Amino acid sequence: NVASQNLTISGSLGTEAVHVSDNDSARDVAATVNNVSNETGVTATAVTFAQLTVDATGAQSFDLKGKNTSSAETISANITDVSDLTELADAVNAKAASTGIYAELSDDKATITLKNSDGYDINLNWNAGDMAVRGVESDGETVTGSAVANLATGSTDVSVGGNLTFNAEKSYSVVTSVAGTISTGTAT
């Protein structure tokens, strides 16, 4: 989900440059940053959230990948009421040991928030149904981007990239060589 680039990480212990490869997940980028944390004093954490809604009753099915990067798990449920996605959330949670992705229902049960605590990308490939997915910021609540409507069965493959949070006890900066690809800045 990111372009190949270099990150210059400056913290209280020093400055290091690291390379991020094309399509690295947030998990990969966090691991790269953490590999030099003893030299910089800067660490990173990663988490991925996606919001899922269903627009029509009936069979809903998609293939789901998270930590299972090579072999998808098929998630299926029959939705009788688009304002109660309990069956779909239960189907996602039944495969969580394999995918690392957990589903949490909103209070009104009309929205599912998918979460991977390690920062793996959340990949969904539709088989049947009428669903939409959107990315969610690291707070787990703020929706980002436009909804991706999935009206055509089997024709939509969606990947939601994760969020990075940089941490340090003292002032730090993270600067990228490719503008607009990773949010960077300085904090104290």
Side-chain angles (χ1 to χ4, degrees):
N1 287 318
V2 297
S4 177
Q5 61 193 280
N6 294 312
L7 298 179
T8 302
I9 305 161
S10 299
S12 62
L13 301 178
T15 299
E16 290 287 327
V18 297
H19 181 72
V20 174
S21 298
D22 275 333
N23 297 315
D24 271 358
S25 67
R27 177 184 180 272
D28 297 331
V29 177
T32 298
V33 171
N34 292 333
N35 283 338
V36 296
S37 65
N38 287 339
E39 289 80 30
T40 64
V42 179
T43 61
T45 57
V47 64
T48 308
F49 291 102
Q51 184 186 79
L52 181 67
T53 56
V54 173
D55 298 325
T57 59
Q60 309 292 325
S61 177
F62 56 91
D63 294 328
L64 182 62
K65 288 184 191 176
K67 73 178 184 180
N68 56 324
T69 58
S70 60
S71 180
E73 292 284 355
T74 299
I75 308 298
S76 298
N78 185 39
I79 303 301
T80 58
D81 179 356
V82 296
S83 62
D84 185 357
L85 302 182
T86 302
E87 185 178 338
L88 188 58
D90 290 346
V92 170
N93 288 332
K95 304 288 183 156
S98 171
T99 64
I101 298 168
Y102 292 87
E104 181 180 318
L105 280 171
S106 59
D107 290 340
D108 65 3
K109 298 183 182 183
T111 303
I112 295 173
T113 299
L114 302 175
K115 178 183 180 182
N116 180 275
S117 297
D118 296 320
Y120 284 96
D121 292 346
I122 296 176
N123 297 295
L124 304 99
N125 186 8
W126 269 257
N127 300 319
D130 188 355
M131 296 174 269
V133 65
R134 291 169 63 164
V136 178
E137 293 183 13
S138 61
D139 63 6
E141 297 178 10
T142 306
V143 176
T144 61
S146 300
V148 177
N150 299 292
L151 305 176
T153 303
S155 66
T156 303
D157 188 12
V158 175
S159 181
V160 177
N163 299 280
L164 288 169
T165 302
F166 297 100
N167 304 291
E169 289 184 19
K170 297 183 179 180
S171 181
Y172 71 93
S173 68
V174 180
V175 179
T176 177
S177 62
V178 179
T181 57
I182 293 181
S183 297
T184 61
T186 302
T188 55

